[in-house]
Amino acid sequence: MLILIDGKPFDGPEDTTVAVALLMAGQTMFRRSISGEPRAPLCGMGICFECRVTIDGCAHVRSCQIPVREGMEIRTG
Amino acid sequence: MSLPDAIVVGAGIVGAACARELSHSGLRVTVCESGVVGGGATAAGMGHLAVMDDSEAQFALTSYSQSLWRNLAAELPNDAEYLPCGSLWIAADEEEMAEVHRKDRYYKQRGIPVEVLDAKQLAEAEPNLRPGMAGGLIMHADGVCYPPCAAKFLLERSGAQLLQGRRVVAVDDGGVLFADGTELAAGTVVMATGAAITDLFPQLAVAPRKGHLLITDRYPGFVKHQIIELGYLKSAHSIASDSVAFNVQPRRTGQLLIGSSRQYGVTDGAVESAMLSRMLSRAVQYMPGLQHLSSIRAWTGFRAATPDKLPLIGRAPRLCNVLLATGHEGLGISTSLATARLIGDELLGRVSAIPREPYHPARAFC
Amino acid sequence: MIVIVGAGPAGMAAARRARECGAEVTVVDDNPAPGGQIWRGEGRWLADGVRFVPSARVVSGDTAAKTLLLETERGAGELPYDRLILATGSRELFLPFPGWTLPGIFGVGGLQALAKSGLAVRRKRILVAGSGPLLLAGASYFRSKGAEVVLIAEQADAFSVARFGAQLLRHPAKVLRAAQLQVSLLGVPTKHGCWVEAAEGTDRVECIHLRQGSRAFTEPVDYAAIAWGLVPNTELATLLGCDSLAGAGGVDVSTVEGEIAGLIAAGREDLARELYPRRDKAIRFAKAIDETFALRPDLRHLPKPETIVCRCEDVTLERLQFCNSFRAAKLHTRCGMGPCQARICGAATRFLFGWQDDSIRPPALPARIGTLIGS
């Protein structure tokens, strides 16, 4: 399934969450914390909010809760 | 422990400001706070540092206080989140635009830096406002802060002794009595307890006015100024019915603080979903993009409201040594510094920069 | 209509029992399929005739009007109920230590959830650490998916764990399960009285520093799965005004409590009462787990002054040390005021300082403003 991660295409797994797709693409940083630290998923169940990315222009989406879809545009940081 | 010269009851923004003022005037001050420093209405409110023109007395107090905030701005710590973003009063139609022009004349006559925006300029200043607005008025010198940390700063600067977790249950010319039965004597007591003043002075015409607020996740740049609809004034004026008015504030964190609502006669602090819904609907009417934003928390607070919309600053009637500093409704943060200065002036027999009479508590005793 | 929030073991059990009594049942869950965390991806089904509302989170509720406000990925709506069961499960307890915010450090259930959703762990070096039975279950799962589990580090001491193991003999089914786990973990080093002291890496975790008694050592890792127990998700219940809460106790307690709730909601308190002995037994077992895996006080000294405690607002330990209550911390440092709504740092500061989080406000989870406006 083709998605865009920070403008770059990635052919990733289907039937999974955006978080897993990003991790499989080798993405280590999902967002930057207030003090600039790189952050990535922690709890895997939609509680910690560390996996937030911008999906199709919508900010602060918990990627571990969203199924990945063809053509999704994901922005990290 | 030597006895204090003055006891300040309440460590919200007004109490903290009074503690600092009296301390700087040479008094030994003890502050009593039953909860957390900067809690209460101070923690619940919007932290708006505004000048208002509802009356000459309100203008005098807010503009004097704003100049004091400006002088303090450079010393404020980072966590007080001072942001000189200005206020933008927005007009939806020509009737409200007439009010914009009236305000423009009023403030210019008094040396307040303001600017009228037409519809096009308004859209450029705040692109997320809905199209079709008539224009607005920018008040350049207005700003915002984060009140709990501003209050904490003022209290720390005062060097006053803090008695935390101590609730005052009675006060007279000799001092205060705490809930645990202990007493503390002092030459002066300043009551800065917000709406709870009526627990100790039931005859005071101060009533709690419940307000709802909501804060979003971080959306830097979505809003640049504190934005207030002109209908806000109608809401603040209404003394009988529940009302909402659009009010959004950018925080330095990039979060948006959305308000406002006013309810009379409600003492339960629970968030009411109907009221919240009404308030947010109004906000979305002015800024449709808000509906897609993520909200983190909603809460309520109680403003201390008086019938004539002016605070009570000065000696309590029939008492010599007790001064009141309460009844600030939605302008507590804005007018805290001037309130403290007037309290200090009255206590020490100084001439004040503005007339003190309009705020004198005698008028509010039944 | 009985509405059940949560399709984990408790919610599924409640739905099954209520349905058996002939009630109309709807189950809401924020995942796309039933099973909760522990049965995620196992293809479990709700009982016949139970309506399932997936991928929906409960944002708030009106107990007077008897409705819940739900939000989905694209929309929102109200769900009315006659009786409401909250089976919202638990989350993992995370404790701060230097480097705990590095990418590649997950919870144990957290990494397991991601792996069950398709994250490849084959040939990854994974350290499993913290405390509780979940460590073994997680390690076993990772190994079954081809990961190299380099170590299981359990902070509880070997004696306590062995004593707990002896108690297991009273529960034959558990003995079998325990034996299966042990077999699946043959060859994986396990240390007791051992805990993580720090994590290190530039952009992601590269190694973990551990301590066991007087010995400090380091393990290079690809992933670390670290969690120190479970915290019940009681926020929605508190928001809706419940004061007596069942808490977290593992699958057995969850299942029997769910059954009891389902029967009571369906008006069959007589049948529910018959389950009390089973519940008492399950609660005793859950208590034994809690005692065995109680966190040692040493763990309070893991974070350094510059260690971040509140991850949402990047509040460090040194800033929190001036606060004397959670409310003071919230107001003065913004700890707990971020989008996780203190779910992570609230439990952590409770362990570190004994603070209680005294207030819950809507929304129960961050929600779009459009959702809160409603219809």
Side-chain angles (χ1 to χ4, degrees), chain B residues 36-40 43 79 146 148-149 152 164 214-218 251 255 258 271 276-277 280-281 284 290-299, chain C residues 60-62 312-313 319 324-325 327-334 336-341 361-363 365-375:
Chain B
V36 170
V37 170
D79 59 10
Y146 177 59
C149 287
K152 181 164 71 79
Q164 203 174 351
L214 177 130
I215 195 165
T216 68
D217 206 329
R218 288 167 157 81
R251 308 298 313 282
Q255 293 171 281
I258 303 174
V271 172
L276 187 65
S277 170
L280 295 176
S281 293
V284 166
L290 287 175
Q291 67 189 289
H292 306 298
L293 304 190
S294 176
S295 69
I296 293 181
R297 189 173 52 260
W299 67 92
Chain C
S60 67
D62 185 337
C312 293
E313 300 289 322
R319 290 185 63 207
N324 52 23
S325 66
R327 179 158 170 76
K330 283 197 282 192
L331 290 186
H332 298 156
T333 70
R334 307 299 286 170
M337 299 290 243
C340 95
Q341 299 174 326
R361 294 187 176 88
L365 274 171
R368 290 184 299 271
I369 286 174
T371 299
L372 298 179
I373 290 174
S375 43

Coordinates of all heavy atoms in Angstrom, one line a residue, chain B residues 36-40 43 79 146 148-149 152 164 214-218 251 255 258 271 276-277 280-281 284 290-299, chain C residues 60-62 312-313 319 324-325 327-334 336-341 361-363 365-375:
Chain B
V36 N -4.3 26.0 46.6 CA -3.0 26.1 46.0 C -2.7 27.6 45.6 O -3.7 28.2 45.2 CB -2.9 25.2 44.7 CG1 -1.7 25.5 43.9 CG2 -3.0 23.7 45.1
V37 N -1.5 28.1 45.7 CA -1.2 29.4 45.2 C -1.6 29.6 43.8 O -1.2 28.7 42.9 CB 0.3 29.7 45.4 CG1 0.7 31.0 44.7 CG2 0.7 29.7 46.9
G38 N -2.3 30.6 43.4 CA -2.7 30.8 42.1 C -3.8 29.9 41.6 O -4.1 29.7 40.4
G39 N -4.5 29.3 42.6 CA -5.7 28.5 42.3 C -6.9 29.3 42.2 O -6.9 30.5 41.9
G40 N -8.1 28.7 42.4 CA -9.3 29.4 42.4 C -9.6 30.0 41.0 O -9.3 29.4 40.0
A43 N -6.8 30.4 38.5 CA -6.4 29.3 37.7 C -7.4 29.0 36.6 O -7.1 28.4 35.6 CB -6.2 28.0 38.6
D79 N 7.6 31.0 32.8 CA 6.4 30.2 33.0 C 5.1 31.1 33.2 O 4.0 30.6 33.2 CB 6.5 29.2 34.1 CG 6.9 29.8 35.5 OD1 6.8 31.0 35.6 OD2 7.2 29.0 36.4
Y146 N -0.1 33.7 31.9 CA -0.6 32.5 32.5 C -0.7 32.7 34.0 O 0.3 32.8 34.7 CB 0.3 31.3 32.2 CG -0.1 30.0 32.9 CD1 -1.4 29.5 32.7 CD2 0.7 29.4 33.8 CE1 -1.8 28.3 33.3 CE2 0.3 28.2 34.5 CZ -0.9 27.7 34.2 OH -1.3 26.6 34.9
P148 N -1.7 31.4 37.1 CA -1.2 30.8 38.3 C 0.3 31.0 38.5 O 0.8 31.2 39.6 CB -1.4 29.3 38.0 CG -2.6 29.3 37.1 CD -2.4 30.5 36.2
C149 N 1.1 31.1 37.4 CA 2.5 31.3 37.6 C 2.8 32.8 37.8 O 3.8 33.1 38.5 CB 3.3 30.8 36.4 SG 3.4 29.0 36.4
K152 N 2.2 33.1 41.4 CA 3.3 32.5 42.2 C 4.5 33.4 42.2 O 5.1 33.6 43.2 CB 3.6 31.1 41.6 CG 4.7 30.4 42.3 CD 4.8 28.9 41.8 CE 5.3 28.7 40.4 NZ 6.7 28.8 40.3
Q164 N -0.1 27.8 54.0 CA -0.8 27.1 53.0 C -1.7 26.0 53.7 O -1.3 25.5 54.7 CB 0.1 26.4 52.0 CG -0.7 26.2 50.7 CD 0.2 25.6 49.6 OE1 1.5 25.6 49.7 NE2 -0.4 25.2 48.6
L214 N -12.3 26.2 27.5 CA -11.8 25.0 26.9 C -10.4 25.2 26.3 O -10.2 26.3 25.8 CB -12.7 24.5 25.8 CG -12.3 23.3 25.0 CD1 -13.4 22.3 24.9 CD2 -11.8 23.6 23.6
I215 N -9.5 24.3 26.4 CA -8.2 24.5 25.9 C -7.9 23.4 24.8 O -8.3 22.2 25.0 CB -7.0 24.5 26.9 CG1 -5.7 25.1 26.3 CG2 -6.8 23.2 27.5 CD1 -4.7 25.5 27.4
T216 N -7.2 23.8 23.7 CA -7.0 22.9 22.6 C -5.5 22.3 22.7 O -4.7 22.8 23.5 CB -7.2 23.5 21.3 OG1 -6.1 24.5 21.1 CG2 -8.5 24.2 21.2
D217 N -5.2 21.4 21.8 CA -3.8 21.0 21.6 C -3.1 22.2 20.9 O -3.7 23.2 20.7 CB -3.8 19.7 20.8 CG -2.6 18.9 21.1 OD1 -1.5 19.4 21.4 OD2 -2.7 17.6 20.9
R218 N -1.9 21.9 20.5 CA -1.1 23.0 20.0 C -1.3 23.3 18.5 O -1.1 22.4 17.7 CB 0.4 22.7 20.2 CG 0.8 22.9 21.7 CD 2.1 22.3 22.0 NE 2.7 22.8 23.2 CZ 2.4 22.5 24.4 NH1 1.6 21.6 24.7 NH2 3.0 23.1 25.5
R251 N -2.2 31.0 23.4 CA -1.2 30.9 24.4 C 0.2 30.8 23.8 O 0.3 30.4 22.7 CB -1.5 29.6 25.3 CG -2.9 29.4 25.8 CD -3.3 30.6 26.7 NE -2.3 30.9 27.7 CZ -2.1 30.1 28.8 NH1 -2.9 29.1 29.0 NH2 -1.2 30.4 29.7
Q255 N -1.3 26.6 22.2 CA -2.6 26.1 22.4 C -3.6 27.3 22.4 O -3.3 28.5 22.5 CB -2.7 25.5 23.9 CG -1.9 24.3 24.0 CD -1.8 23.8 25.4 OE1 -1.0 24.3 26.2 NE2 -2.6 22.8 25.7
I258 N -10.4 28.8 24.6 CA -11.7 29.3 24.0 C -12.7 29.5 25.1 O -12.9 28.6 26.0 CB -12.2 28.2 23.1 CG1 -11.2 28.0 21.9 CG2 -13.5 28.7 22.4 CD1 -11.6 26.8 21.0
V271 N -18.8 20.7 34.8 CA -18.9 21.2 33.4 C -20.2 20.7 32.9 O -20.6 19.6 33.0 CB -17.8 20.6 32.5 CG1 -18.0 20.9 31.1 CG2 -16.4 21.1 33.0
L276 N -21.3 24.1 27.4 CA -20.1 24.0 26.7 C -20.4 23.9 25.2 O -19.8 24.6 24.4 CB -19.4 22.7 27.1 CG -18.0 22.5 26.6 CD1 -17.0 23.5 27.1 CD2 -17.5 21.1 27.0
S277 N -21.4 23.2 24.9 CA -21.8 23.0 23.5 C -22.2 24.4 22.9 O -21.8 24.8 21.8 CB -23.0 22.0 23.3 OG -23.5 22.1 22.1
L280 N -19.1 26.6 22.5 CA -18.3 26.2 21.3 C -19.0 26.4 20.0 O -18.3 26.8 19.0 CB -17.9 24.7 21.5 CG -17.0 24.4 22.7 CD1 -16.8 22.9 22.8 CD2 -15.7 25.1 22.6
S281 N -20.3 26.3 20.0 CA -21.1 26.6 18.7 C -20.8 28.0 18.3 O -20.6 28.4 17.2 CB -22.6 26.4 18.9 OG -22.9 25.1 19.1
V284 N -17.4 28.5 16.9 CA -17.3 27.9 15.6 C -18.0 28.8 14.5 O -17.6 28.9 13.4 CB -17.8 26.5 15.5 CG1 -18.0 26.0 14.1 CG2 -16.8 25.6 16.3
L290 N -12.2 26.0 13.9 CA -12.1 25.5 15.3 C -12.7 24.1 15.5 O -12.2 23.3 16.3 CB -12.7 26.4 16.3 CG -12.0 27.8 16.6 CD1 -12.9 28.6 17.5 CD2 -10.7 27.6 17.2
Q291 N -13.7 23.8 14.7 CA -14.4 22.5 15.0 C -13.6 21.3 14.7 O -13.9 20.2 15.3 CB -15.7 22.4 14.1 CG -15.5 22.3 12.6 CD -16.8 22.5 11.9 OE1 -17.6 21.6 11.9 NE2 -16.9 23.6 11.2
H292 N -12.5 21.4 13.9 CA -11.7 20.3 13.6 C -10.5 20.1 14.6 O -9.8 19.1 14.6 CB -11.1 20.4 12.2 CG -12.1 20.6 11.2 ND1 -13.1 19.7 10.9 CD2 -12.4 21.7 10.4 CE1 -13.9 20.2 9.9 NE2 -13.5 21.4 9.6
L293 N -10.3 21.1 15.5 CA -9.2 21.1 16.4 C -9.5 20.2 17.6 O -10.6 20.0 18.0 CB -8.9 22.5 16.9 CG -8.6 23.6 15.8 CD1 -8.1 24.8 16.5 CD2 -7.7 23.1 14.8
S294 N -8.4 19.6 18.1 CA -8.5 18.7 19.2 C -8.5 19.4 20.5 O -7.6 20.3 20.8 CB -7.3 17.8 19.2 OG -7.3 16.9 20.3
S295 N -9.5 19.2 21.3 CA -9.6 19.8 22.6 C -9.1 18.9 23.7 O -9.3 17.7 23.7 CB -11.1 20.2 23.0 OG -11.8 19.0 23.2
I296 N -8.3 19.4 24.7 CA -7.7 18.6 25.7 C -8.5 18.6 27.0 O -8.6 17.6 27.6 CB -6.3 19.1 26.0 CG1 -5.4 18.8 24.7 CG2 -5.7 18.4 27.2 CD1 -4.0 19.2 24.9
R297 N -9.1 19.7 27.3 CA -9.8 19.8 28.6 C -10.8 21.0 28.6 O -10.5 22.0 28.0 CB -8.7 20.0 29.7 CG -9.1 20.0 31.1 CD -7.9 20.0 32.1 NE -7.1 21.1 31.7 CZ -6.0 21.1 31.0 NH1 -5.5 19.9 30.6 NH2 -5.3 22.2 30.8
A298 N -11.9 20.8 29.3 CA -12.8 21.8 29.6 C -12.9 22.0 31.1 O -12.8 21.0 31.8 CB -14.2 21.5 29.0
W299 N -13.2 23.1 31.6 CA -13.3 23.3 33.1 C -14.2 24.6 33.3 O -14.6 25.3 32.4 CB -12.0 23.5 33.7 CG -11.2 24.7 33.3 CD1 -11.2 25.9 34.0 CD2 -10.3 24.9 32.2 NE1 -10.4 26.8 33.3 CE2 -9.9 26.2 32.2 CE3 -9.9 24.0 31.2 CZ2 -9.0 26.7 31.3 CZ3 -9.1 24.5 30.2 CH2 -8.6 25.9 30.3
Chain C
S60 N -17.6 11.6 26.6 CA -18.3 12.1 27.8 C -19.6 11.4 27.9 O -20.0 10.6 27.0 CB -18.4 13.6 27.9 OG -19.3 14.0 26.9
G61 N -20.4 11.7 28.9 CA -21.7 11.1 29.0 C -22.6 11.9 29.9 O -22.1 12.8 30.7
D62 N -23.9 11.7 29.7 CA -24.9 12.5 30.5 C -25.7 11.4 31.2 O -26.5 10.7 30.7 CB -25.7 13.3 29.6 CG -26.7 14.2 30.3 OD1 -27.1 13.9 31.5 OD2 -27.2 15.2 29.7
C312 N 4.2 14.9 28.0 CA 3.4 15.8 27.1 C 3.9 17.2 27.2 O 4.0 17.9 26.2 CB 1.9 15.8 27.5 SG 1.1 14.2 27.2
E313 N 4.3 17.6 28.4 CA 4.7 19.0 28.6 C 6.2 19.1 28.9 O 6.7 20.2 29.3 CB 3.9 19.7 29.7 CG 2.4 19.7 29.4 CD 2.0 20.6 28.3 OE1 2.6 21.8 28.2 OE2 1.1 20.3 27.5
R319 N 11.7 20.3 38.5 CA 10.7 21.3 38.7 C 9.5 20.8 39.5 O 8.8 21.6 40.2 CB 10.1 21.7 37.3 CG 11.2 22.5 36.4 CD 10.6 22.9 35.1 NE 9.5 23.8 35.3 CZ 8.5 24.0 34.5 NH1 8.5 23.3 33.3 NH2 7.6 24.9 34.7
N324 N 3.9 20.6 46.1 CA 3.5 19.7 47.2 C 2.2 18.9 47.0 O 1.6 18.3 47.9 CB 3.4 20.4 48.6 CG 2.6 21.7 48.5 OD1 1.7 21.8 47.6 ND2 2.8 22.6 49.3
S325 N 1.6 19.0 45.8 CA 0.4 18.3 45.4 C 0.4 18.2 43.9 O 1.0 18.9 43.2 CB -0.8 19.0 45.9 OG -1.0 20.2 45.3
R327 N -2.2 19.0 42.1 CA -2.8 20.2 41.6 C -1.8 21.3 41.5 O -1.8 22.0 40.5 CB -4.0 20.6 42.6 CG -4.7 21.9 42.1 CD -6.0 22.0 42.7 NE -6.6 23.4 42.4 CZ -7.0 23.8 41.2 NH1 -7.0 23.0 40.2 NH2 -7.5 25.0 41.1
A328 N -0.9 21.4 42.5 CA 0.1 22.5 42.4 C 1.0 22.2 41.2 O 1.4 23.1 40.5 CB 0.9 22.5 43.7
A329 N 1.4 20.9 41.0 CA 2.2 20.6 39.9 C 1.5 21.0 38.6 O 2.1 21.5 37.6 CB 2.5 19.1 39.9
K330 N 0.2 20.7 38.5 CA -0.5 21.0 37.3 C -0.5 22.5 37.0 O -0.3 22.9 35.9 CB -2.0 20.4 37.4 CG -2.1 18.9 37.2 CD -3.5 18.5 36.8 CE -4.3 18.4 38.1 NZ -5.6 17.7 37.8
L331 N -0.9 23.2 38.0 CA -1.0 24.7 37.8 C 0.3 25.4 37.6 O 0.4 26.3 36.8 CB -1.7 25.3 39.0 CG -3.2 25.0 39.2 CD1 -3.8 25.8 40.3 CD2 -4.0 25.2 37.9
H332 N 1.4 24.9 38.3 CA 2.6 25.7 38.3 C 3.6 25.2 37.3 O 4.5 25.9 36.9 CB 3.3 25.7 39.7 CG 2.4 26.3 40.7 ND1 2.5 26.1 42.0 CD2 1.4 27.3 40.6 CE1 1.6 26.8 42.7 NE2 1.0 27.5 41.9
T333 N 3.5 23.9 36.8 CA 4.5 23.4 35.9 C 3.8 22.9 34.6 O 4.5 22.6 33.6 CB 5.3 22.2 36.5 OG1 4.4 21.1 36.6 CG2 5.9 22.6 37.8
R334 N 2.5 22.7 34.6 CA 1.7 22.2 33.5 C 1.9 20.6 33.4 O 1.4 20.0 32.4 CB 2.1 22.8 32.1 CG 2.0 24.3 32.1 CD 0.6 24.9 32.4 NE -0.3 24.7 31.3 CZ -1.6 24.9 31.4 NH1 -2.2 25.3 32.5 NH2 -2.4 24.7 30.3
G336 N 0.8 17.1 33.6 CA -0.5 16.5 33.6 C -1.5 17.3 32.8 O -2.7 16.9 32.8
M337 N -1.1 18.4 32.2 CA -2.1 19.2 31.5 C -2.0 19.0 30.0 O -2.6 19.7 29.2 CB -1.8 20.7 31.8 CG -1.9 21.1 33.2 SD -3.7 21.0 33.8 CE -3.9 22.7 34.2
G338 N -1.3 18.0 29.6 CA -1.2 17.7 28.1 C -2.2 16.7 27.6 O -3.1 16.4 28.4
P339 N -2.1 16.3 26.4 CA -3.2 15.5 25.8 C -3.4 14.1 26.4 O -4.5 13.6 26.4 CB -2.7 15.3 24.3 CG -1.4 15.9 24.2 CD -1.1 16.8 25.4
C340 N -2.4 13.6 27.0 CA -2.6 12.3 27.7 C -3.4 12.4 29.0 O -3.8 11.4 29.6 CB -1.3 11.5 27.9 SG -0.6 11.7 29.6
Q341 N -3.7 13.7 29.3 CA -4.5 14.0 30.5 C -4.0 13.3 31.8 O -4.8 12.7 32.5 CB -6.0 13.6 30.2 CG -6.6 14.4 29.0 CD -8.0 13.9 28.6 OE1 -8.3 12.7 28.7 NE2 -8.8 14.8 28.2
R361 N -12.0 16.0 34.3 CA -12.9 16.9 33.6 C -13.1 16.4 32.2 O -12.3 15.7 31.7 CB -12.3 18.3 33.6 CG -12.2 18.9 35.0 CD -11.8 20.3 34.9 NE -11.8 20.9 36.2 CZ -10.8 20.9 37.1 NH1 -9.7 20.3 36.7 NH2 -10.9 21.4 38.3
P362 N -14.2 16.7 31.6 CA -14.4 16.3 30.2 C -13.6 17.1 29.3 O -13.2 18.2 29.7 CB -15.9 16.6 30.0 CG -16.2 17.7 30.9 CD -15.4 17.5 32.1
P363 N -13.3 16.6 28.1 CA -13.6 15.3 27.6 C -12.8 14.2 28.2 O -11.6 14.4 28.7 CB -13.3 15.4 26.1 CG -12.2 16.4 26.0 CD -12.5 17.4 27.2
L365 N -11.3 11.8 26.8 CA -10.1 11.7 26.0 C -10.2 13.0 25.1 O -11.3 13.4 24.8 CB -10.1 10.5 25.1 CG -9.6 9.2 25.7 CD1 -9.9 8.0 24.8 CD2 -8.1 9.3 26.0
P366 N -9.0 13.5 24.6 CA -9.1 14.6 23.7 C -10.1 14.3 22.6 O -10.1 13.3 22.0 CB -7.7 14.7 23.2 CG -6.8 14.3 24.3 CD -7.6 13.1 24.9
A367 N -10.9 15.3 22.3 CA -11.9 15.1 21.3 C -12.0 16.4 20.4 O -11.6 17.5 20.9 CB -13.3 14.9 22.0
R368 N -12.5 16.2 19.2 CA -12.6 17.4 18.3 C -13.7 18.3 18.9 O -14.7 17.9 19.5 CB -13.0 17.0 16.9 CG -11.9 16.3 16.2 CD -12.3 15.9 14.7 NE -13.5 15.1 14.7 CZ -13.4 13.7 14.7 NH1 -12.2 13.1 14.7 NH2 -14.5 13.0 14.6
I369 N -13.5 19.6 18.7 CA -14.4 20.6 19.2 C -15.8 20.3 18.6 O -16.8 20.5 19.2 CB -13.9 22.0 18.9 CG1 -12.8 22.3 19.9 CG2 -15.0 23.0 19.0 CD1 -12.1 23.6 19.7
G370 N -15.8 19.9 17.3 CA -17.1 19.6 16.6 C -17.8 18.5 17.4 O -19.0 18.5 17.4
T371 N -17.1 17.6 17.9 CA -17.8 16.5 18.7 C -18.5 17.0 19.9 O -19.6 16.6 20.3 CB -16.7 15.4 19.1 OG1 -16.1 14.9 18.0 CG2 -17.3 14.4 20.0
L372 N -17.8 18.0 20.6 CA -18.3 18.5 21.9 C -19.5 19.4 21.6 O -20.4 19.6 22.5 CB -17.3 19.3 22.6 CG -16.1 18.4 23.0 CD1 -15.0 19.3 23.8 CD2 -16.5 17.3 23.9
I373 N -19.6 19.9 20.4 CA -20.8 20.8 20.1 C -22.0 19.9 19.9 O -23.1 20.3 20.3 CB -20.6 21.6 18.8 CG1 -19.5 22.6 19.1 CG2 -21.8 22.2 18.3 CD1 -19.1 23.4 17.8
G374 N -21.8 18.7 19.4 CA -23.0 17.7 19.3 C -23.9 18.1 18.2 O -23.6 18.8 17.3
S375 N -25.1 17.6 18.4 CA -26.1 17.8 17.3 C -26.8 19.2 17.4 O -27.0 19.7 18.5 CB -27.2 16.7 17.4 OG -27.5 16.5 18.7

